[in-house]
C-alpha cells in the first residue's frame, strides 16, 4: 500500500488481514509505521490514558515523535488521570497532547438535561461529553488510532488492524488487537512506563468517575465500567447513534 492510497471512501478491507505478527509488538510497530506513512499528520490518536494507552504512546513516539494525541476531557475524570497526563507530557515532550472538552460545561449540562445525566441517560451523556467532541476532532483528520484489543470483550473480537469506521466516517487503526492484558503489563514494566495509579487499586479500566468502579479482583476486565447497567461501551466503537 502506497502513501495516501487508503481513504474512508476507498476502503474495502484491512490491508493487513493476512498479517501473522511474529515480532515482539505483535504487529503493532509495523501497523504504526504504515499508518503514519499513509496518513502523515492527518492521523490522530484518541487516547484514554488507560494501560493500553501507555504502550501505544511509547510505540507511537518511536515512529512519530510529534504525533497528535487527543484526550476526551469530559470534565469528570479522576485526579489520578490528570496527574498521569502531566507525567506523560514530561516523558514525551515532543508529542502534541491536547485535551478536548465538550461544548457544554457540567453546569450547562445539568441546567439543560437535569442532574446526573450519566444516571438518567448515560448514552446521551456519552454523546455530549465524548462522541460529539471526537466527531469535532476527527472532522479534520483522515484516520484515528485506538487501543482496542480483541480479548477485551465479545464486541471487540472482530476488530482488525485497519477498520472502516462508519460511526465517524473515518479509518480506525487498532495496532494492539493481538495483545493480551499480560502483554500490556509486561511491556509497561519492561520499559518502566508511567501508568494510572488507580490500576494498583483494582481499577482495570478507568473512565469518568461516576461510571467507573473497583472490581473484586484485578484482571483484564471492563466490568468496572457502568457497573450495574447494561451499558458496556461509550459509543466510540459502535456504529449506532446514541444521541437520543
Ligand atoms: Fe457521562 Fe459516564 Fe459517559 Fe462519562 S462515561 S460521558 S460520565 S455517561
Amino acid at each position: 500500500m502506497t502513501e495516501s492510497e487508503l481513504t474512508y471512501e476507498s476502503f474495502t478491507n484491512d490491508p493487513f488481514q493476512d498479517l501473522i505478527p511474529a515480532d515482539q509488538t505483535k504487529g503493532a510497530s509495523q501497523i504504526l509505521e504504515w499508518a503514519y506513512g499513509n496518513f502523515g499528520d492527518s492521523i490522530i490518536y484518541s487516547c484514554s490514558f488507560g494501560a493500553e494507552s501507555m504502550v501505544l504512546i511509547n510505540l507511537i513516539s518511536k515512529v512519530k515523535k510529534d504525533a497528535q494525541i487527543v484526550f476526551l476531557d469530559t470534565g469528570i475524570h479522576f485526579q489520578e488521570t490528570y496527574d498521569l497526563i502531566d507525567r506523560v507530557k514530561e516523558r514525551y515532550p515532543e508529542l502534541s497532547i491536547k485535551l478536548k472538552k465538550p461544548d457544554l460545561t457540567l453546569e450547562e449540562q445539568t441546567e439543560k438535561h437535569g442532574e446526573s445525566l450519566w444516571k438518567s441517560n448515560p448514552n446521551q451523556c456519552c454523546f455530549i461529553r465524548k462522541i460529539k467532541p471526537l466527531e469535532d476532532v476527527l472532522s479534520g483528520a483522515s484516520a484515528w488510532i485506538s487501543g482496542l484489543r480483541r480479548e477485551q470483550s465479545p464486541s471487540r473480537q472482530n476488530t482488525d488492524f485497519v477498520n472502516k469506521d462508519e460511526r465517524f466516517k473515518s479509518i480506525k487503526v487498532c495496532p494492539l488487537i493481538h495483545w493480551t492484558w499480560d502483554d500490556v503489563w509486561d511491556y509497561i514494566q519492561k520499559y518502566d512506563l508511567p501508568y494510572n495509579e488507580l490500576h494498583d487499586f483494582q481499577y482495570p479500566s478507568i473512565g469518568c468517575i461516576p461510571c467507573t468502579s473497583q472490581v473484586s479482583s484485578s484482571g483484564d476486565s471492563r466490568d468496572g465500567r457502568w457497573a450495574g447497567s447494561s451499558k458496556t461501551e461509550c459509543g466510540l466503537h459502535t456504529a449506532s447513534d446514541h444521541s437520543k
Side-chain angles (χ1 to χ4, degrees):
M1 184 82 44
T2 59
E3 284 195 16
S4 301
E5 191 175 326
L6 185 67
T7 63
Y8 171 76
E9 288 76 20
S10 71
F11 184 96
T12 51
N13 50 36
D14 180 6
F16 297 98
Q17 61 186 351
D18 297 326
L19 175 68
I20 301 171
D23 68 312
Q24 262 189 335
T25 70
K26 296 192 167 181
S29 296
Q30 186 181 340
I31 298 302
L32 288 169
E33 291 274 0
W34 169 83
Y36 282 101
N38 194 81
F39 300 111
D41 289 326
S42 192
I43 185 166
I44 291 173
Y45 173 29
S46 173
C47 181
S48 68
F49 284 84
E52 290 87 353
S53 307
M54 298 303 102
V55 172
L56 263 181
I57 286 174
N58 183 265
L59 292 173
I60 287 172
S61 72
K62 294 175 185 175
V63 176
K64 183 143 172 79
K65 285 190 180 336
D66 60 347
Q68 294 190 68
I69 296 175
V70 172
F71 174 67
L72 300 176
D73 183 6
T74 61
I76 337 173
H77 287 285
F78 292 93
Q79 185 55 48
E80 286 85 347
T81 304
Y82 294 111
D83 292 344
L84 173 63
I85 294 171
D86 288 340
R87 282 189 282 140
V88 169
K89 283 181 174 174
E90 272 171 34
R91 178 153 173 161
Y92 306 96
E94 290 178 62
L95 290 175
S96 165
I97 299 175
K98 294 190 175 134
L99 275 57
K100 172 70 179 169
K101 291 186 185 301
D103 290 340
L104 294 183
T105 64
L106 279 172
E107 291 72 26
E108 288 167 340
Q109 178 169 299
T110 299
E111 213 169 285
K112 203 166 170 192
H113 301 287
E115 286 282 344
S116 309
L117 188 60
W118 43 88
K119 280 188 193 160
S120 58
N121 192 340
N123 286 340
Q124 190 181 24
C125 186
C126 274
F127 180 81
I128 293 168
R129 313 206 75 73
K130 289 181 166 184
I131 297 173
K132 181 64 173 55
L134 185 58
E135 262 178 13
D136 294 344
V137 165
L138 296 184
S139 65
S142 304
W144 62 298
I145 295 171
S146 165
L148 295 186
R149 294 180 298 108
R150 284 183 177 174
E151 73 161 17
Q152 275 175 317
S153 68
S155 64
R156 298 182 177 187
Q157 270 170 13
N158 296 322
T159 308
D160 287 322
F161 280 126
V162 186
N163 306 267
K164 185 166 192 173
D165 183 354
E166 302 290 357
R167 178 67 191 77
F168 293 102
K169 301 282 179 278
S170 185
I171 299 287
K172 183 165 69 176
V173 179
C174 304
L176 300 184
I177 55 173
H178 295 298
W179 286 54
T180 65
W181 189 233
D182 285 345
D183 291 335
V184 169
W185 282 99
D186 286 349
Y187 191 91
I188 287 173
Q189 275 149 13
K190 183 175 178 184
Y191 293 101
D192 194 22
L193 302 182
Y195 64 86
N196 195 319
E197 289 165 14
L198 290 174
H199 288 307
D200 291 335
F201 296 92
Q202 292 179 307
Y203 288 87
S205 182
I206 301 163
C208 299
I209 295 171
C211 301
T212 303
S213 49
Q214 279 178 306
V215 297
S216 51
S217 62
S218 64
D220 179 12
S221 169
R222 285 177 57 79
D223 286 352
R225 302 291 292 282
W226 301 285
S229 111
S230 59
K231 186 172 168 69
T232 57
E233 298 276 357
C234 56
L236 299 180
H237 305 292
T238 50
S240 53
D241 183 348
H242 292 302
S243 59
K244 301 288 186 291

